[in-house]
Amino acid sequence: MSVEEQESSRELQTTIEAVYEGWKEYDTKLRECVASIPNEALELRATNDSKSVGEILRHIISVRAGWFSGTLQDPDDVMNGYILWDSLEPLTLTIEVLEKGLCETWAFMEARLVRWTPADCAVCFPDEWNGQIFEVSRSWVIYHVMEHDHHHGGQVSFILGINGLKGLAI
């Protein structure tokens, strides 16, 4: 590898590391936010027909497990349990259980993020959407789950805020 290629590789790795670190910091802030609210806050909603804080957090956890373990074909018994959280109704969980789910799904994802190389991230896997099969790369899944975390974490923060509780400290 030439000096230029090595420099370019280091710059790319530095950028990737910065993105992962930012996502990790966001996850920490989400978990701190969740830890600070009472269990009753899990029932709060933005509107009567929208998902509750607890349902949104379950969804974040389930989606993390589904994409990183299911779609990326990295089976794990703990993640298999979390994948089901989005489909089980009713499933009422406590703050402590949701915190554990956020922590365990983050640890599962992070263990992979730190070891995957750019070549690993280019590997594609089949995914079904609306009856059609698509090939998605690990890179696409990483970005998709990160944006999903941010979107739904923002919903949680908004719902808490409109109800006089502290949202994410970002």
Side-chain angles (χ1 to χ4, degrees):
M1 186 181 289
S2 72
V3 172
E4 292 84 15
E5 289 171 321
Q6 289 174 349
E7 291 289 334
S8 177
S9 177
R10 274 198 297 272
E11 288 173 19
L12 175 62
Q13 188 173 14
T14 301
T15 301
I16 290 171
E17 288 173 353
V19 169
Y20 291 169
E21 187 61 33
W23 189 10
K24 180 179 184 173
E25 188 175 316
Y26 184 86
D27 175 74
T28 299
K29 290 178 180 183
L30 177 61
R31 284 187 284 121
E32 289 170 352
C33 174
V34 171
S36 73
I37 62 175
N39 278 311
E40 299 77 43
L42 295 174
E43 297 304 318
L44 296 174
R45 300 170 186 276
T47 65
N48 289 337
D49 61 345
S50 63
K51 289 186 177 197
S52 69
V53 168
E55 290 169 327
I56 295 167
L57 292 169
R58 279 182 20 210
H59 177 66
I60 290 170
I61 293 162
S62 181
V63 165
R64 287 174 168 190
W67 280 105
F68 271 73
S69 178
T71 303
L72 298 182
Q73 300 173 14
D74 191 353
D76 180 87
D77 290 340
V78 174
M79 294 303 114
N80 287 343
Y82 289 136
I83 290 170
L84 298 175
W85 279 16
D86 220 11
S87 61
L88 299 175
E89 294 292 341
L91 182 61
T92 305
L93 303 169
T94 64
I95 294 292
E96 293 77 22
V97 172
L98 289 164
E99 281 182 278
K100 181 180 179 189
L102 288 168
C103 187
E104 288 182 344
T105 54
W106 177 260
F108 185 83
M109 294 187 311
E110 184 177 40
R112 282 128 190 92
L113 293 173
V114 298
R115 77 167 190 251
W116 286 337
T117 66
D120 293 330
C121 289
V123 174
C124 291
F125 299 84
D127 185 56
E128 185 271 328
W129 176 257
N130 287 337
Q132 199 170 1
I133 302 296
F134 296 91
E135 291 290 317
V136 294
S137 69
R138 279 193 181 110
S139 291
W140 185 90
V141 170
I142 292 165
Y143 179 78
H144 179 67
V145 175
M146 182 174 54
E147 74 177 342
H148 185 268
D149 271 17
H150 287 98
H151 170 77
H152 288 299
Q155 286 181 305
V156 168
S157 191
F158 175 77
I159 294 169
L160 294 175
I162 63 173
N163 285 282
L165 296 169
K166 186 176 180 202
L168 276 74
I170 54 174

